[in-house]
Amino acid sequence: MDLFERVKQLRKEGAKAIESAATEKKLDEVRVKLMGRKGELTEILHAMKEIDPQHRREIGQEVNQLRDQFTERLDVSKKALVKKMVEQRLENERLDVTLPGRPVSLGTKHVVRILQDDLERFFIGMGYQVVQGPEIESEHYNFEMLNLPKDHPARDMQATFYIDDDHLLRSQTSPVQARTLEKHDFKKGPLKMISPGKVYRRDDDDATHSHQFAQMEGLVVDRHITMGDLKGTLESVAKHVFGQDRETRLRPSYFPFTEPSVEMDVSCFNCDGKGCAVCKYTGWIEVLGAGMVHPNVLENAGIDSNIYGGFAFGLGLDRFAILKYGVGDIRDFYTNDVRFLEQFRQEEN
Ligand code: FA5
């Protein structure tokens, strides 16, 4: 085929190839094929050496013209492809800002925490301060300061999780009593405090016992505090939490750090006091221990027990929650089934 024919054919084929390149990559391949160093136009230029000078000029003009033409078409095609790509991306990534947002599901407070917050407000309203104590406690505060010397048999009831010989996960919130008594300055007024928090025991877990649970300690020390003050306080707490109708009773008990000591029971929510498996067929569920602060506890903290006296109580927040909400098993508080926990959303305050 003579060179004129090749140019003519290349003009046709080149235009078609440029037109049908659907992507920028394909278009670039076409460019290289037509105009690259080893491309078809270059080949024609090389072949021009072999023809006579008169035709060479003519062909040269045609080839130049064709190169200009290809350059322009490639340019136009590239612009069109880029525009198409941008439009397509804009379309794909279109954001409808008018769509309603996805709802964020909010967690709820844990039911024991809800009760704790409620009781804190109740006691703050009666002039109590809220005090925190450590969960890893020394034997000194967990036992000794509370009138439980080493080898005292009552320690066995609370044999618990030891960290080392002198430290344990506190078995009760009562050590906060001792810590606060040591620091309190009675010249500034009486001591009225509560201390909520987690405690740990080697208890056999059942419907009303867990190896970890929450207590709220209470302590009032001043001159002339009587058992009547204790009884009135406990009854008003019980009425506040359980309403006027649920029955309560105080029963004599023993704690080394109070004398006399009592325990308060609330009538069983499950059987209304008739007796069932939840209350171990007694009709009552124990919710707190309490009593008049033992003189030794005051003296251990450097307070003259001839002048000052007081009452203390330690209530089980989980037990309160069980009774208030009719929960069949304390373990439901700790297995973290959100369906269980969400039921108390409306109690949140
Ligand atoms: C005490 O822990 C004393 N520190 C309470 C106290 C404080 C008495 C101040 C006097 C003065 P007790 O071991 O009875 O006492 O526990 C108190 C309350 O914690 C119980 O009434 C009960 O409501 C709760 N409780 C006890 N053991 C468990 C358990 N294993 N699981 C859940 N709640 C418990």
Side-chain angles (χ1 to χ4, degrees), residues 142 146 157-158 171-175 177 199-219 230 251 253-265 285-293 311-320 322-323 330 334:
N142 199 75
L146 297 172
M157 290 194 295
Q158 295 192 358
S171 57
Q172 48 187 352
T173 43
S174 301
Q177 279 189 39
V199 302
Y200 305 83
R201 294 206 186 156
R202 195 217 54 78
D203 248 340
D204 292 326
D205 291 4
D206 62 22
T208 56
H209 290 81
S210 166
H211 55 277
Q212 180 216 299
F213 57 100
Q215 283 189 338
M216 182 179 277
E217 195 75 9
L219 175 68
L230 172 63
R251 196 164 35 75
S253 184
Y254 169 75
F255 296 102
F257 32 93
T258 45
E259 180 61 37
S261 303
V262 291
E263 278 178 328
M264 186 164 91
D265 298 335
I285 294 181
E286 177 205 321
V287 289
L288 60 83
M292 303 309 287
V293 181
F311 66 76
F313 58 86
L315 61 85
L317 286 169
D318 305 66
R319 292 276 178 86
F320 264 58
I322 284 180
L323 283 159
I330 195 170
Y334 300 104

Side-chain angles (χ1 to χ4, degrees), residues 3-4 12 59 74 98 112 166 168 181 253 297 328 339:
L3 269 187
F4 284 102
K12 249 204 277 170
I59 283 275
L74 282 165
T98 63
V112 176
D166 301 319
L168 58 149
L181 278 171
S253 184
V297 173
R339 290 167 305 177

Side-chain angles (χ1 to χ4, degrees), residues 15 23 39 63 65 67 84 97-98 102 120 150 184 213 248 256 288 298 311 318 325 327 338:
T23 63
V63 168
Q65 198 193 38
R67 182 187 292 120
K84 201 168 130 200
V97 290
T98 63
R102 295 197 182 101
E120 279 184 22
K150 283 205 188 317
H184 189 73
F213 57 100
T248 59
L288 60 83
L298 297 171
F311 66 76
D318 305 66
Y325 300 114
V327 174
V338 280

Side-chain angles (χ1 to χ4, degrees), residues 152-194:
H152 191 291
R155 281 198 187 195
D156 286 352
M157 290 194 295
Q158 295 192 358
T160 181
F161 304 107
Y162 274 81
I163 308 284
D164 59 32
D165 286 349
D166 301 319
H167 295 88
L168 58 149
L169 293 179
R170 66 178 177 188
S171 57
Q172 48 187 352
T173 43
S174 301
V176 190
Q177 279 189 39
R179 287 177 173 275
T180 316
L181 278 171
E182 264 183 345
K183 278 191 242 145
H184 189 73
D185 179 3
F186 282 93
K187 283 195 214 89
K188 292 190 177 150
L191 169 60
K192 290 173 90 178
M193 70 106 190
I194 52 162

